[in-house]
Amino acid sequence: DSLHVADVKKSRDKVLRVQKTVFKGHQLLDLRIFQASEDGAGLRPTKQGVSINLAKLPEILEGAGLGELVTALIAEDEAERVAGLEEA
């Protein structure tokens, strides 16, 4: 099973696809390049990509110096969601 999160256009015929997947019971964040097929049948995954165990993601982001940024973005998103609920 996979949950499509986003596609980020990389070039005319390639996108970076972000998906949440499960493999052997582990929840993963999969970042993979997809390329348009030559027969026009849609996008197909390439070997270019990485799968990150979601349990390790906070540690990876912290190590990259992005922990505080991600925490701030999550807090901002939550505040906007709550504000939207209060307006409804």
Side-chain angles (χ1 to χ4, degrees):
D1 290 330
S2 67
L3 172 65
H4 179 253
V5 176
D7 279 342
V8 179
K9 188 172 183 171
K10 182 172 166 56
S11 68
R12 181 180 56 81
D13 62 344
K14 293 181 181 179
V15 297
L16 171 65
R17 178 159 292 172
V18 181
Q19 299 180 107
K20 182 179 172 187
T21 63
V22 177
F23 182 72
K24 293 186 177 182
H26 298 281
Q27 291 191 8
L28 306 171
L29 182 65
D30 187 58
L31 307 167
R32 187 151 314 278
I33 300 296
F34 277 65
Q35 184 167 1
S37 63
E38 292 180 13
D39 62 5
L43 295 172
R44 300 201 180 193
T46 68
K47 292 181 179 182
Q48 299 172 331
V50 63
S51 292
I52 302 168
N53 187 319
L54 283 177
K56 297 287 186 183
L57 193 56
E59 181 181 339
I60 291 167
L61 293 173
E62 193 65 41
L66 298 173
E68 291 180 19
L69 173 62
V70 171
T71 300
L73 290 172
I74 291 170
E76 180 180 311
D77 184 60
E78 180 67 15
E80 289 175 3
R81 189 184 67 77
V82 169
L85 292 174
E86 290 174 353
E87 292 175 4

